[in-house]
């Protein structure tokens, strides 16, 4: 092979090349691929290293250093701290504590914006994605495991900022700043996405609020209907569903004119039974 040696006993040298490769000079023609150093496949040894260095650690010591802006390409797997990587990038931390980092990401100003600790703790300034595969979010004594205070959604979504489709258990105080109130002055046919809403009807003519078909999975759903106008308001149950003591697929209505105001809150207590939780005015079932 090729071995380069050098020595110096005094003076100062700005730059010393153990092996220097200059750019190829050509006066014409085309070079398709120009290699400064081209190391062919090494396969004759028990251990084969195309390029090996033994540079010791130091503030100004680099095993590989590219001061230009060219890309670097690795077709195989890359290991940092591991000689047998099992992924395209396999990183072994220098320790096992939560404050020892395996990866750190910085912005263009050098400020840390994300990190992965040796214990698998990921920190970042922001998460972007649907989060549908996030599991095992455990709470801690220092505060909530998930801070929802800055989650926003477009006004066209019916859930505000967060749509939770599974059960939620709150051990402690909880506060709902407001509920969704929706006007339906010409009547409305509700769907399961309307559960929890307050429906207002302000009309001089008769209007109908039709409840959706339900199943056991909907038990616990509530709907509040508020009558603001003089017109009759009828709440229509889905087929085979009961409103208080109504018949299957029956109704409950209010015809008050003066005063016109009335309200009723219904909760689904079985797969087929809506019960009255509270209300104002005379509501008559059929």
């Amino acid at each position: 092979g090729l071995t380069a040696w050098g020595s110096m006993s005094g003076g100062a040298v700005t730059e010393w090349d153990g092996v220097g490769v200059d750019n190829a000079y050509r006066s014409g023609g085309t070079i398709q691929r120009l290699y400064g150093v081209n190391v062919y496949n090494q396969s004759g040894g028990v251990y084969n290293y195309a390029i090996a260095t033994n540079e010791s650690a130091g503030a100004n010591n680099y095993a590989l250093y590219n001061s230009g802006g060219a890309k670097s390409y690795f077709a195989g797997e890359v290991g940092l701290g591991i000689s047998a990587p099992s992924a395209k990038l396999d990183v072994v931390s220098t320790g096992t504590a939560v404050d020892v980092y395996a990866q750190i990401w910085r912005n263009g100003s050098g400020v840390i914006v994300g990190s992965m600790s040796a214990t698998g703790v990921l920190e970042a300034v922001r998460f972007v994605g649907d989060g549908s595969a996030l599991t095992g979010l455990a709470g801690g004594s220092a505060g909530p495991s998930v801070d929802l205070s800055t989650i926003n959604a477009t006004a066209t979504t019916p859930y505000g900022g967060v749509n939770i489709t599974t059960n939620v258990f709150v051990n402690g105080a909880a506060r709902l700043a407001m509920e969704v109130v929706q006007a339906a002055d010409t009547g409305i046919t509700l769907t399961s996405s309307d559960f929890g809403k307050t429906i207002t009807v302000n009309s001089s003519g008769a209007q109908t609020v039709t409840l959706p078909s339900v199943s056991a999975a909907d038990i616990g759903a509530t709907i509040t209907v508020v009558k603001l106008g003089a017109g009759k308001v009828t709440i229509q149950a889905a087929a085979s569903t009961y409103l208080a003591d109504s018949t299957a697929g029956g109704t409950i209505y209010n015809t008050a004119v003066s005063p016109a105001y009335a309200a009723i809150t219904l909760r689904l207590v079985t797969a087929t039974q809506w019960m009255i939780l509270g209300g104002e005015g005379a509501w008559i079932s059929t």
Side-chain angles (χ1 to χ4, degrees):
L2 173 66
T3 302
W5 297 95
S7 64
M8 181 176 175
S9 60
V13 175
T14 302
E15 183 174 296
W16 184 311
D17 294 332
V19 176
V21 180
D22 199 357
N23 190 24
Y25 171 79
R26 63 183 179 86
S27 59
T30 300
I31 301 175
Q32 293 294 334
R33 290 182 177 86
L34 176 61
Y35 300 95
V37 176
N38 189 3
V39 180
Y40 292 93
N41 183 42
Q42 306 295 302
S43 59
V46 177
Y47 300 98
N48 301 285
Y49 306 91
I51 297 176
T53 74
N54 189 27
E55 188 69 26
S56 59
N60 298 316
N61 294 6
Y62 303 90
L64 296 173
Y65 187 94
N66 176 24
S67 61
K71 299 182 291 291
S72 296
Y73 173 78
F74 299 91
E77 296 170 341
V78 177
L80 301 180
I82 182 172
S83 59
S86 56
K88 276 296 183 182
L89 178 60
D90 196 338
V91 181
V92 175
S93 178
T94 57
T96 58
V98 69
D99 58 349
V100 177
Y101 296 97
Q103 298 181 54
I104 292 178
W105 297 273
R106 302 176 186 266
N107 63 18
S109 300
V111 178
I112 295 176
V113 295
S115 64
M116 174 68 75
S117 77
T119 58
V121 177
L122 175 64
E123 296 185 12
V125 296
R126 185 180 181 186
F127 170 79
V128 178
D130 63 9
S132 60
L134 294 176
T135 60
L137 297 177
S141 59
S145 57
V146 180
D147 182 1
L148 305 180
S149 61
T150 58
I151 296 180
N152 297 303
T154 58
T156 58
T157 63
Y159 310 107
V162 182
N163 176 19
I164 300 176
T165 59
T166 58
N167 296 330
V168 177
F169 173 72
V170 178
N171 184 12
R175 180 175 69 91
L176 296 177
M178 61 183 66
E179 296 181 351
V180 177
V181 177
Q182 179 176 336
D185 297 338
T186 58
I188 189 173
T189 297
L190 301 177
T191 67
S192 59
S193 65
D194 295 312
F195 290 154
K197 288 183 178 180
T198 295
I199 305 299
T200 63
V201 182
N202 189 355
S203 175
S204 59
Q207 304 298 336
T208 300
V209 176
T210 303
L211 299 178
S213 299
V214 292
S215 66
D218 299 312
I219 292 175
T222 60
I223 288 289
T224 297
V225 177
V226 177
K227 177 178 178 293
L228 299 176
K232 176 182 178 181
V233 172
T234 300
I235 302 174
Q236 173 70 58
S240 303
T241 305
Y242 301 86
L243 285 168
D245 59 350
S246 76
T247 59
T251 66
I252 191 168
Y253 66 88
N254 184 287
T255 58
V257 175
S258 180
Y261 304 113
I264 188 170
T265 297
L266 302 171
R267 173 167 291 170
L268 187 68
V269 296
T270 72
T272 59
Q273 181 69 59
W274 291 92
M275 292 300 295
I276 300 173
L277 290 187
E280 181 180 350
W283 292 85
I284 302 171
S285 60
T286 64

